[in-house]
Amino acid sequence: MESIARRTLLGLLLVAAGLGLTSCSDDPAAPPQPPANLHEALARACEEHGIPGLGAVVIRTGESGGATALAVAGLRRLGAPDSVQAADLWHLGSNTKAITATLLGVLVERDSLAWDSRVLEVFPELAPAAPAEYAAITLADLLCHRAGIPSFEELADFLALPPFTGTNAEQRYAFTAWLLARPPETPPGQYDYSNAGYAIAAAMAERVTGSSWEDLVPALVLAPLGIDGAFGWPGRVGPDQPWGHEWDGRALTPHDPWSEYALPVLIAPAGDVSLDLAGYGAFLRLHLAGLRGADGLLTAATIQRLHQPVGDYALGWGIGSRDGDPISAHFGSAGTFLCGAVICAERNLAFAVIANAAHPAAEAGIAEVMDWIWERAGSEGAIF
């Protein structure tokens, strides 16, 4: 399994630093013309970087509809003729963390939990076996990766686990009990990106509501925003959905969504939601509007709390800056898709670019399109 954490940090650095990965002509006196529109930017990136398919959505508040612009280019799967379509699903990888954090925000506003709810107060029966270092860790600590919980980034981490049985929620509770009975990976309070921490946060939501994360996300986040989503690979929803592609260091191979590899249900809350571009745009719009002071599904105050960092990571979002403007950003991948998203309240701008491949060329192509969106959005009267 790909390291979601590594890709998240790489993506944030690419976006925040603005590395200018746009391709250059061999003749410095004749640089290539910039793309005329979002579709052309995506098509060019697919061709130049060998990416099977790309999709992008650009959001600004105060406008009608769910997206300022939406475009796709390329193929659903290498070796098959079908082009990606505007309504197709894309796997968000670790960008799912912001959705899980938003769900927790709903429960905080309902007084079912608080950001400072202690994990061992929600699970008092686990306290006797827990190391003393875990006594004070909170929900917010889990969501900003400062609880000391082991990272669980690779498939080998899960192969070493005992078998957990039962419903998804029961398995996550058993995983929570197993994690909290072991020493912290790092001292609580120190940043250490952890997919497993989001499993515990989801288990807290499941304990206080009596419902599974898989039921809570659609009911409390997606449906109120008018979003139809799915869990797991898009290709499991239907045969006419994009496949992801795996990279072996030399070539891309289509990843059969029904193959053995899938994210374990234990850490689904950290990285296993798929959305179409319009749906993901509606989610980004909620956060952009809240950062600009507008109440929605969550109050502006709660949205702003989700983006309040400890260091450079908040609750489901990395925090940085570009051209002097604060941004919230995240990259996510479970090894077959790659998703990057940016929100900049100062520019009234949010956007995401997603590939159905996860390899260095996809990273470069996504960064190139993000650079183009960022620069174009700074132009007066920009049209995508």
Side-chain angles (χ1 to χ4, degrees):
M1 178 168 31
E2 286 285 336
S3 168
I4 302 174
R6 177 171 52 79
R7 292 190 177 276
T8 298
L9 297 177
L10 171 61
L12 179 56
L13 289 173
L14 287 173
V15 172
L19 296 183
L21 296 180
T22 42
S23 59
C24 298
S25 167
D26 292 335
D27 180 1
Q33 291 295 314
N37 53 51
L38 185 57
H39 170 75
E40 186 176 319
L42 295 172
R44 184 181 296 185
C46 283
E47 180 178 359
E48 293 182 355
H49 297 284
I51 303 169
L54 280 169
V57 61
V58 183
I59 301 295
R60 281 183 157 157
T61 61
E63 301 176 25
S64 61
T68 299
L70 184 156
V72 295
L75 299 173
R76 286 173 169 162
R77 172 163 56 101
L78 288 176
D82 293 343
S83 299
V84 290
Q85 301 296 315
D88 284 349
L89 296 169
W90 302 80
H91 196 258
L92 303 184
S94 244
N95 286 26
T96 298
K97 289 181 173 67
I99 295 175
T100 296
T102 298
L103 165 65
L104 272 301
V106 173
L107 297 181
V108 167
E109 288 196 346
R110 294 184 175 192
D111 294 325
S112 299
L113 285 166
W115 299 123
D116 61 358
S117 292
R118 294 189 178 187
V119 176
L120 292 176
E121 290 176 346
V122 175
F123 301 111
E125 73 281 7
L126 302 182
E133 296 96 321
Y134 285 145
I137 61 170
T138 67
L139 176 62
D141 293 331
L142 294 168
L143 298 179
C144 68
H145 304 296
R146 290 179 180 270
I149 302 299
S151 56
F152 276 80
E153 296 177 36
E154 309 294 343
L155 181 59
D157 298 331
F158 294 93
L159 296 178
L161 289 171
F164 299 128
T165 59
T167 66
N168 291 355
E170 289 169 344
Q171 291 184 55
R172 279 189 287 268
Y173 172 74
F175 186 40
T176 294
W178 186 90
L179 288 165
L180 293 177
R182 277 147 186 80
E185 185 170 82
T186 55
Q190 178 179 315
Y191 177 82
D192 186 22
Y193 191 96
S194 175
N195 294 310
Y198 271 71
I200 297 176
M204 293 173 72
E206 291 167 338
R207 167 60 64 92
V208 300
T209 64
S211 298
S212 71
W213 174 82
E214 287 84 357
D215 288 335
L216 291 169
V217 167
L220 300 185
V221 179
L222 301 185
L225 294 173
I227 301 171
D228 290 323
F231 301 110
W233 307 123
R236 292 194 175 191
V237 175
D240 58 346
Q241 291 292 335
W243 283 23
H245 293 77
E246 296 178 289
W247 174 249
D248 64 4
R250 296 169 298 176
L252 288 172
T253 301
H255 169 250
D256 183 346
W258 293 103
S259 68
E260 182 178 349
Y261 172 52
L263 284 186
V265 298
L266 302 177
I267 61 159
D272 208 19
V273 167
S274 291
L275 298 180
D276 63 29
L277 292 169
Y280 195 36
F283 178 77
L284 295 177
R285 179 181 289 275
L286 167 71
H287 283 258
L288 176 60
L291 287 172
R292 291 175 60 81
D295 294 338
L297 172 64
L298 295 174
T299 64
T302 297
I303 292 288
Q304 290 161 16
R305 176 64 182 88
L306 290 170
H307 293 260
Q308 179 183 323
V310 180
D312 59 7
Y313 200 94
L315 309 185
W317 293 95
I319 306 299
S321 66
R322 182 163 180 178
D323 296 337
D325 290 329
I327 62 170
S328 298
H330 217 288
F331 262 46
S333 175
T336 66
F337 287 76
L338 181 61
C339 174
V342 173
I343 301 175
C344 181
E346 294 293 327
R347 294 194 173 203
N348 188 19
L349 175 67
F351 58 92
V353 184
I354 313 178
N356 61 345
H359 64 319
E363 293 169 355
I366 285 176
E368 180 179 288
V369 176
M370 286 182 149
D371 281 345
W372 178 84
I373 293 171
W374 180 267
E375 296 301 328
R376 191 174 184 93
S379 303
E380 187 173 351
I383 298 175
F384 291 91

